[in-house]
């Protein structure tokens, strides 16, 4: 655990500060189970932080050691940036390491008087953290992208693959494509993307003609791409994997006969992948993700402060603090966090664009559609600037 202490900062203002100050109302891997029969968690120990009546206490639960330490630290750094860029004086954010004992981190956070938890990062930590937080009336805003973990006390903030697939399918349908095929990885992520594909295609009056599964390895995905070549009749092929594996699958697929007219589709995993633009087989491919309009300025400011490039997911830490500041306008000092304020039809604005939560805790994001074209990636359908009611 370490306390994120605010440093003095200069009068520099940039697009980050503008994005932060425009946070206003008005405008997405493994199977999990609930744990109703778990033994009760130990009571929180006595607080290790001094009494603080001038700030709202907020806990940031991310891994700062172990295999995911760099990702967790990037999120923590971004949260610090949000405090600096907004000159926030009413929040005290303390980081707790979840790498070895997420439930213990949650107990320490509660004993220190925190009324809101930002995190955890990993979906398989959510149950243990929520088992501690929920009885105390402390909500979670998780950085996970597993919507199955969402509830009235757990708000899932990560970029959801299902929403990306749905946005891409709708765009493809508007361009005249009604028959689809897919390469789907085995596992939870694949199950979620295939389910979203089937639902989105049916909703638009189309059909899924073929689907092949594979293990997440170059050999397996190339073999799946070669198998699906023989199943004709579709106008678009979804490759539900990272840019690197998708590039290999696309190359194997396009090497077959009569595949030139098939439009390739990707998921939110393609966002920020440099290999897309350098793979000839991916030219013309479409995928949907959050806007990068503000990310380059964020990354530049991040590097100047911390000496390294941020992970793309770090913006979630920044936006979680912006959201907290927005809700804190109506948060009475010393009271429980007003969880009901998180559910707003108008939503909120962050670095990744507009977003809002459903009553069930699932994030909805405004996504843009991009096309791989001429050695670059360009936006072909901008993200909406606000949500329909």
């Amino acid at each position: 655990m370490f306390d994120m202490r605010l440093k003095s900062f200069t009068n520099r203002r940039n697009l980050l500060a503008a994005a932060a100050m425009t946070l206003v109302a008005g405008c997405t891997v493994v199977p999990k189970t609930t744990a109703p029969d778990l033994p009760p968690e130990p009571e929180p120990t006595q607080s290790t932080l001094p009494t603080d009546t001038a700030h709202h206490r907020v806990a940031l639960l991310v891994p700062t050691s172990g295999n995911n330490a760099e990702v967790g630290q990037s999120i923590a750094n971004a949260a610090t940036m949000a405090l600096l860029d907004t000159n926030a004086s009413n929040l005290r954010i303390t980081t707790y390491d979840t790498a070895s004992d997420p439930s213990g981190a949650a107990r320490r956070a509660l004993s220190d008087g925190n009324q809101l938890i930002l995190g955890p990062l990993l979906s398989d930590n959510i149950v243990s953290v929520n088992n501690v937080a929920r009885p105390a009336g402390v909500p979670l805003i998780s950085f996970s992208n597993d919507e199955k973990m969402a509830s009235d006390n757990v708000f899932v903030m990560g970029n959801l693959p299902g929403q990306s697939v749905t946005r891409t399918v709708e765009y493809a349908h508007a361009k005249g494509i009604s028959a689809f095929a897919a390469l789907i990885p085995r596992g939870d992520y694949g199950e979620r993307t295939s389910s979203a594909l089937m639902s989105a295609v049916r909703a638009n009056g189309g059909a899924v003609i073929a689907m092949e599964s594979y293990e997440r390895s170059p050999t397996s995905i190339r073999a799946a791409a070669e198998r699906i070549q023989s199943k004709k009749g579709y106008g678009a092929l979804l490759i539900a994997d990272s840019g690197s594996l998708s590039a290999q699958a696309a190359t194997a697929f396009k090497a077959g006969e009569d595949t030139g007219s098939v439009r390739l589709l990707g998921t939110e995993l393609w966002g920020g992948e440099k290999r897309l633009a350098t793979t000839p087989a991916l030219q013309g491919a479409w995928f949907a993700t959050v806007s990068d309009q503000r990310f380059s300025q964020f990354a530049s400011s991040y590097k100047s402060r911390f000496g390294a490039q941020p992970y793309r997911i770090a913006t979630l830490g920044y936006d979680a603090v912006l959201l907290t500041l927005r809700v804190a306008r109506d948060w009475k000092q010393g009271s429980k966090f007003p969880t009901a304020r998180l559910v707003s039809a108008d939503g909120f604005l962050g670095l990744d664009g507009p977003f809002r939560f459903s009553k069930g805790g699932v994030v909805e994001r405004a996504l843009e559609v991009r096309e791989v074209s001429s050695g670059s990636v360009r936006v072909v359908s901008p993200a909406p600037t606000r949500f329909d009611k």
Side-chain angles (χ1 to χ4, degrees):
M1 177 183 72
F2 63 90
D3 196 7
M4 294 202 310
R5 307 178 188 279
L6 298 183
K7 301 176 182 179
S8 63
F9 78 114
T10 68
N11 292 323
R12 292 182 304 164
R13 289 295 185 269
N14 50 37
L15 184 57
L16 294 177
M21 298 312 294
T22 54
L23 176 66
V24 293
C27 308
T28 189
V29 184
V30 293
K32 309 298 183 304
T33 58
T34 56
D37 299 323
L38 289 178
E41 294 282 349
E43 290 295 322
T45 57
Q46 185 176 358
S47 175
T48 59
L49 290 181
T51 301
D52 185 352
T53 59
H55 304 86
H56 296 297
R57 283 184 172 173
V58 176
L60 180 68
L61 268 64
V62 291
T64 55
S65 62
N67 294 336
N68 296 299
E70 290 185 357
V71 180
Q73 189 60 58
S74 190
I75 292 173
N77 290 344
T80 299
M81 282 181 60
L83 293 174
L84 294 172
D85 290 339
T86 57
N87 199 22
S89 59
N90 60 341
L91 294 184
R92 179 173 184 170
I93 298 183
T94 307
T95 301
Y96 300 80
D97 185 7
T98 58
S100 61
D101 185 10
S103 61
R107 288 194 298 273
R108 291 191 296 275
L110 295 192
S111 72
D112 286 340
N114 292 283
Q115 295 298 324
L116 172 67
I117 291 177
L118 306 180
L121 169 63
L122 304 178
S123 60
D124 53 6
N125 291 163
I126 292 178
V127 169
S128 59
V129 171
N130 195 42
N131 283 343
V132 176
R134 186 183 184 90
V138 175
L140 279 59
I141 301 178
S142 172
F143 306 121
S144 166
N145 69 348
D146 188 351
E147 65 266 39
K148 292 187 299 184
M149 302 307 296
S151 70
D152 59 353
N153 198 65
V154 177
F155 296 82
V156 173
M157 192 178 183
N159 299 325
L160 306 183
Q163 291 180 12
S164 171
V165 169
T166 298
R167 176 78 163 97
T168 305
V169 167
E170 291 173 347
Y171 181 79
H173 180 263
K175 296 298 182 180
I177 298 175
S178 59
F180 296 79
L183 297 176
I184 301 294
R186 294 188 178 95
D188 186 67
Y189 183 85
E191 291 173 4
R192 285 189 278 154
T193 52
S194 62
S195 177
L197 176 66
M198 297 294 291
S199 297
V201 171
R202 283 197 301 265
N204 286 278
V208 177
I209 303 298
M211 192 175 291
E212 289 286 342
S213 61
Y214 60 90
E215 300 297 335
R216 300 188 88 166
S217 71
T219 300
S220 185
I221 196 172
R222 285 196 299 264
E226 292 168 357
R227 290 195 303 270
I228 211 165
Q229 289 174 1
S230 62
K231 301 175 182 180
K232 308 299 182 181
Y234 50 89
L237 172 65
L238 173 69
I239 308 177
D241 217 309
S242 66
S244 177
L245 284 176
S246 296
Q248 297 185 54
T251 300
F253 176 77
K254 289 293 188 178
E257 297 180 359
D258 302 323
T259 59
S261 63
V262 176
R263 180 78 64 166
L264 298 184
L265 310 177
T267 72
E268 86 294 344
L269 294 179
W270 287 16
E273 289 275 5
K274 296 181 179 179
R275 187 167 179 180
L276 300 179
T278 60
T279 302
L282 286 173
Q283 295 302 300
W286 295 329
F287 67 100
T289 189
V290 294
S291 173
D292 273 345
Q293 184 177 359
R294 297 183 177 94
F295 181 73
S296 60
Q297 180 62 48
F298 164 78
S300 176
S301 180
Y302 181 103
K303 186 175 182 180
S304 71
R305 282 171 166 145
F306 303 106
Q309 289 293 329
Y311 281 80
R312 184 61 181 84
I313 196 176
T315 54
L316 297 182
Y318 194 102
D319 286 355
V321 173
L322 296 187
L323 171 60
T324 304
L325 287 170
R326 172 63 182 87
V327 175
R329 297 177 187 176
D330 304 310
W331 184 4
K332 184 179 179 181
Q333 196 71 44
S335 66
K336 294 290 185 181
F337 180 80
T339 306
R341 301 283 186 180
L342 294 176
V343 181
S344 167
D346 293 328
F348 305 91
L349 179 64
L351 290 179
D352 288 333
F355 66 98
R356 64 181 177 183
F357 293 107
S358 70
K359 292 182 179 180
V362 177
V363 73
E364 178 185 357
R365 293 188 174 278
L367 304 180
E368 66 184 21
V369 178
R370 302 179 192 171
E371 178 180 293
V372 182
S373 176
S374 302
S376 64
V377 178
R378 64 189 182 96
V379 177
V380 292
S381 179
T385 57
R386 61 179 67 245
F387 294 104
D388 293 332
K389 300 296 184 182

